[in-house]
Amino acid sequence: MTGSTNAAQGRRARGQGVRSRYDVAVIGYGPVGMTVAALLGRAGHDVVVLERYPSLYNLPRAATFDDETMRTFDRLGIARDLLPKLHVQTSYEWRNGVGELLIEHEFAAVGGQGWAEWHMMYQPDLEDALDGVVRALPNVEVRMGSEVLGLRTTERGVDVEVGGDGTVISARYVVACDGGNSFTRQWLAVAQDDYGFSEPWMVCDFRLRGPVDVPRARQICDPAQPVSVISLGPLHHRFSFMLDSPERFAAESAPERVWARVAGSLGPEQADLIRVATYTFRSLVARQWRVGPVLLAGDAAHQMPPFLGQGMCSGIRDAQNLAFKLDAVLGGADDTLLDTYQSEREPHVRAVIAKGVELGRVQTMRDPVAAEARDVRLIVQRRAGGRPEKMRFPGLGPGLHDVDSPAGQLMPHGRVARDGREDLLDAVLGGGFVLLVDGRGGARLGESALRQATALGVSVHHLVTRDARLGEVTDRAGVYGAWFDEKRCAAVLWRPDFYVFGTAATTADGPRLLRRLASVIRPGRSAPTQASAAGIGRIGR
């Protein structure tokens, strides 16, 4: 991140005990809220987290995440310690009720973001790791057992009413990561668009006692009983069963009924049943992700069916997008920068939801005749050599980036070396805004542009293929040289959330990128915009 002029003000209060005024209040302490708090805390801001439960939830909900999300976790310093607790999955099977293979999606063991494209996890392990990062930050305060009861706009931001004893927390901004049943979204009276996919499921989680031979990632497209089987890392497994109605859960959730359902794959001598819950898989998008100084993130802003494993990933993208923009605004950039949060993220989220709904309708087909026709079509297609399209998601919508491609696209992440150290690029170069210059032909950024970049907090690096001099970056795997050749550019500037801000056709055009960045992140009007909440006082009610 850029590092803000507010950081020093934030540090002055460290060690002074409980405070009542903060830069940012984060509502909700799941993975998205934890990531927001960690990123903002590392940028030097005073953050308070308000979580209604008295302790970490300590039960799994999300099951998977992708390479882009792992890149964020590596930025936070937890990826490498997490790896032994994860399972990397390279295939995802869809079979019919008699076991015939309908679809097989493939995932790379090393994807474009430098990590496996599909990680299977036990969520409490992830939350323990993120919690450790957050609690190590002296300028971030975590308040468990703190239920939010209301919000009110003020001249300086937001007053948050907590608990029933009249406690009020003041913050310049609020980021609500309080889940699909978000109190904040309801308090703001924000409407949602419904994609029409709403199905009740029973989710059964098991702790394994040892190695077992069960599918690690399989959808069973049986019209009599749709089932999902998925690994939750090396030590846990999940079986999910579609219910005919939510009312069936009371009877079907009895342990003996659950064990009967999984008897063909798993027995009580192999595992312990640790959780049975009912979920309604939904497809919803909030119409407003920002109301004045209050922003919605994660499931509070959007909910999607689980068939793509992108629910938590989408929330982590929200956290990354919001964190560096809040950092800039708290440092004096114009508050309207935050309006680009929804405009950038919403198209991506809607595309993921639409694809998830499409796959969900295939998986949950209950009409036996229609299901048989589906099976025939997919089996013929597969036997003819047809393969499912690689799951590719769009880049950013309009916002903080140039208009021309590849601006707004995710920057690849490969192995590089500099000054004797070799690793993935982020580990070698660090985070923040990065300007990478294609120096393979000897081109270098001029001194004036280097000073301009330094003033903006942009790190500048020159890429070479061999014979690197001190400070130059060697492209070990050829990822960046190939990228420059494909995009036909001489320099690229990307953002702290790994998305491309813009490119320069020639090195001489590099200063234009920097001037464009300066126009949006240099100090402007830093007071929270109240236009969308003006005159309301108590936001939403």
Side-chain angles (χ1 to χ4, degrees):
M1 293 187 183
T2 59
S4 75
T5 56
N6 191 64
Q9 297 174 5
R11 285 189 288 269
R12 73 182 184 278
R14 295 180 187 175
Q16 294 180 7
V18 175
R19 302 183 296 278
S20 61
R21 185 172 298 281
Y22 301 83
D23 296 323
V24 178
V26 177
I27 302 175
Y29 198 50
V32 178
M34 290 174 167
T35 302
V36 172
L39 291 170
L40 287 171
R42 286 190 164 197
H45 302 293
D46 284 338
V47 178
V48 63
V49 181
L50 305 171
E51 168 55 54
R52 67 189 179 102
Y53 290 110
S55 61
L56 296 182
Y57 192 61
N58 204 37
L59 287 171
R61 283 89 70 209
T64 69
F65 60 87
D66 61 15
D67 51 339
E68 180 184 352
T69 301
M70 189 61 152
R71 186 174 179 182
T72 295
F73 293 155
D74 194 34
R75 175 69 55 83
L76 293 175
I78 64 172
R80 302 176 197 231
D81 289 339
L82 269 180
L83 275 176
K85 302 176 182 179
L86 304 174
H87 171 70
V88 171
Q89 183 67 20
T90 56
S91 65
Y92 181 24
E93 293 183 346
W94 293 54
R95 293 182 178 269
N96 64 14
V98 296
E100 294 174 301
L101 182 63
L102 304 178
I103 304 172
E104 185 173 23
H105 297 283
E106 296 180 351
F107 298 89
V110 179
Q113 295 302 294
W115 298 91
E117 289 184 329
W118 208 19
H119 298 85
M120 327 297 273
M121 67 159 180
Y122 182 63
Q123 186 170 329
D125 290 338
L126 171 63
E127 291 186 353
D128 284 345
L130 288 170
D131 181 57
V133 174
V134 173
R135 292 184 186 272
L137 296 166
N139 51 322
V140 179
E141 181 183 340
V142 179
R143 298 191 184 188
M144 307 299 289
S146 297
E147 184 176 7
V148 172
L149 301 178
L151 303 96
R152 180 173 62 87
T153 55
T154 69
E155 291 183 358
R156 300 186 62 179
V158 191
D159 282 349
V160 183
E161 182 182 351
V162 181
D165 59 358
T167 298
V168 174
I169 300 295
S170 297
R172 291 181 63 184
Y173 292 94
V174 169
V175 181
C177 312
D178 49 349
N181 296 319
S182 171
F183 166 84
T184 309
R185 187 188 64 244
Q186 296 177 56
W187 181 270
L188 297 173
V190 171
Q192 299 180 90
D193 290 333
D194 191 337
Y195 280 66
F197 186 91
S198 179
E199 303 287 0
W201 284 68
M202 181 173 71
V203 178
C204 310
D205 292 334
F206 298 85
R207 179 183 295 110
L208 305 178
R209 296 182 180 180
V212 294
D213 183 18
V214 292
R216 288 177 170 173
R218 178 177 294 176
Q219 298 291 340
I220 301 173
C221 308
D222 184 351
Q225 175 61 84
V227 180
S228 174
V229 185
I230 200 159
S231 166
L232 300 179
L235 304 178
H236 298 84
H237 225 79
R238 171 173 293 171
F239 288 75
S240 300
F241 303 90
M242 188 176 177
L243 299 175
D244 293 331
S245 70
E247 291 72 28
R248 292 297 305 160
F249 177 74
E252 297 299 330
S253 60
E256 62 272 17
R257 299 290 291 270
V258 172
W259 282 113
R261 282 178 175 270
V262 302
S265 303
L266 201 62
E269 72 284 358
Q270 297 172 299
D272 298 308
L273 177 61
I274 60 173
R275 177 175 181 256
V276 182
T278 181
Y279 281 125
T280 298
F281 296 161
R282 301 190 186 278
S283 51
L284 300 164
V285 181
R287 294 178 184 172
Q288 280 180 276
W289 298 15
R290 180 186 186 191
V291 178
V294 182
L295 302 114
L296 304 177
D299 284 358
H302 42 75
Q303 299 174 64
M304 57 192 65
F307 302 105
L308 286 174
Q310 283 289 309
M312 188 189 77
C313 299
S314 296
I316 301 300
R317 291 187 189 98
D318 293 346
Q320 281 273 32
N321 191 294
L322 268 178
F324 88 86
K325 291 173 182 176
L326 279 167
D327 177 51
V329 170
L330 290 167
D334 195 304
D335 170 88
T336 57
L337 177 61
L338 297 177
D339 293 336
T340 66
Y341 163 55
Q342 182 173 355
S343 67
E344 288 187 344
R345 289 284 303 123
E346 185 177 11
H348 186 282
V349 162
R350 288 186 180 274
V352 173
I353 290 176
K355 185 63 176 178
V357 169
E358 176 189 328
L359 290 176
R361 296 201 190 286
V362 171
Q363 204 272 1
T364 60
M365 196 173 288
R366 304 305 297 270
D367 180 345
V369 175
E372 183 178 5
R374 172 205 63 196
D375 295 353
V376 170
R377 174 176 56 84
L378 292 174
I379 289 171
V380 168
Q381 178 181 310
R382 186 180 63 80
R383 289 176 177 171
R387 307 176 74 86
E389 290 184 10
K390 185 75 173 176
M391 296 180 190
R392 300 191 186 280
F393 303 124
L396 301 174
L400 180 60
H401 54 81
D402 284 348
V403 175
D404 297 331
S405 179
Q409 296 180 9
L410 193 58
M411 190 67 193
H413 192 213
R415 295 190 70 83
V416 299
R418 185 184 66 179
D419 301 340
R421 180 185 181 187
E422 179 177 340
D423 206 327
L424 289 169
L425 180 137
D426 291 344
V428 175
L429 304 188
F433 285 94
V434 177
L435 179 61
L436 184 64
V437 178
D438 183 2
R440 292 175 297 168
R444 296 293 181 271
L445 202 64
E447 288 298 324
S448 176
L450 289 172
R451 289 192 296 271
Q452 185 182 5
T454 299
L456 288 171
V458 176
S459 64
V460 178
H461 307 277
H462 293 86
L463 183 80
V464 298
T465 53
R466 54 189 174 82
D467 301 328
R469 293 177 292 183
L470 186 66
E472 292 180 332
V473 178
T474 305
D475 189 11
R476 286 297 194 201
V479 169
Y480 297 101
W483 190 89
F484 278 123
D485 292 342
E486 178 189 350
K487 307 302 180 185
R488 298 182 179 181
C489 61
V492 56
L493 174 60
W494 68 85
R495 316 181 324 179
D497 63 349
F498 318 130
Y499 284 83
V500 174
F501 176 83
T503 59
T506 66
T507 307
D509 199 30
R512 179 196 62 80
L513 280 177
L514 297 170
R515 288 194 298 272
R516 164 90 168 95
L517 180 63
S519 71
V520 290
I521 67 169
R522 273 185 169 162
R525 184 180 71 256
S526 59
T529 297
Q530 299 295 325
S532 57
I536 296 178
R538 295 180 71 84
I539 304 176
R541 293 187 182 179

